[in-house]
Each structure stands twice: as structure tokens, then as C-alpha cells.
Amino acid sequence: MSNVDKHRDAHEAFNRRDWDEVIRDFAPDAEYVDHPRGLTVKGAGQFVDYLRSGWVTGFSDAAVTDVRYTEGADRSIAQFTGTGTNDGALGPMPATGRSMSMPFCEIMSYDADGRIVRGELYYDQVSMLVQLGHMPPPHG
């Protein structure tokens, strides 16, 4: 199974909320970094908690859509549209009922055994907050 296949399988499992399948290929000590939030989680259990409390609690219908994958020797890259309706609290911010649809970029790194050892997520947090009505659009 290629790195892209593993990455795709994890996204499809996320969309189904199949947490065991999401972390199937994670190394026990894998790290995942949400760069816009300055947040790093360690291990498969913390990663699932991050997905549940950091995304699914705020967007019960959160989905990874329109994905383009790129294969590398020890990495895979996913450029995708993240979508969802803000129907739950997002950290300290209350639900707005508004929808989000915006680009994300996720990079997964693999060890010699093909296990995910590191993930990194990039997205524009300001765009998300503007779409949800938590802040006004920047001027200019």
C-alpha cells in the first residue's frame, strides 16, 4: 500500500468517523502539528482526541473533500477542501450555524515500515474565523 493510499484511507475513515481506521497506520509515538493553532499532539490517542474535540465537536458534519494527493518517498501531501457547519463550540467560541469551506494542506511523514510518524496541517485560520462570523474581514 502506498503512502497516498494510507493518507486517503485515513481521510475516508475520518469522514465516516471510524477512529480506529483513522489511526491504523500511525506509529505509537507519532506527532501531529496543527500549525495555525500552534498545537502539537503526540500518539494516536491524542490525535483522535484532537480530531473529536478540535474539529468534530465544532463541525459535526466536518468533511475532507476535493482531495489532491501527492506521493513522495517518505511523505504524502494532501491538498483538500475542509467543509462543515459550525454547530458546536469551537474552543471558547460559540457555534454560529455558519458553514466553512476552505483549503487545507496536510503533510504526512512515514518511517521505513510505512507507519505515519508525523503529520502537519496548514490552513488560514483568519479565513475560517471570518467565514464563521467570529471576526470581521481584514481591511485592504
Side-chain angles (χ1 to χ4, degrees):
M1 178 178 281
S2 73
N3 294 337
V4 162
D5 290 334
K6 293 172 188 175
H7 207 156
R8 182 181 298 109
D9 286 353
H11 284 158
E12 291 172 357
F14 172 82
N15 287 346
R16 294 189 312 271
R17 307 301 187 255
D18 185 343
W19 306 117
D20 290 335
E21 279 298 304
V22 167
I23 58 171
R24 180 190 66 208
D25 295 308
F26 268 66
D29 59 347
E31 280 190 345
Y32 192 87
V33 182
D34 180 327
H35 285 284
R37 292 176 54 195
L39 177 68
T40 299
V41 295
K42 297 183 184 204
Q46 282 188 12
F47 180 63
V48 169
D49 290 345
Y50 156 80
L51 293 175
R52 284 180 171 159
S53 65
W55 290 105
V56 176
T57 296
F59 305 91
S60 64
D61 62 347
V64 174
T65 65
D66 302 321
V67 191
R68 293 177 314 203
Y69 294 99
T70 303
E71 179 85 27
D74 64 349
R75 291 184 180 15
S76 58
I77 300 168
Q79 296 169 273
F80 62 91
T81 301
T83 64
T85 304
N86 182 216
D87 55 1
L90 192 60
M93 295 173 284
T96 64
R98 293 186 181 188
S99 294
M100 170 193 75
S101 179
M102 52 183 273
F104 287 73
C105 182
E106 183 179 58
I107 303 166
M108 295 294 200
S109 300
Y110 302 82
D111 66 13
D113 295 323
R115 295 177 304 176
I116 296 169
V117 293
R118 183 171 174 86
E120 298 183 65
L121 183 65
Y122 298 89
Y123 56 96
D124 180 359
Q125 194 171 42
V126 170
S127 290
M128 180 174 66
L129 295 174
V130 169
Q131 285 185 28
L132 298 179
H134 287 300
M135 70 177 286
H139 296 290

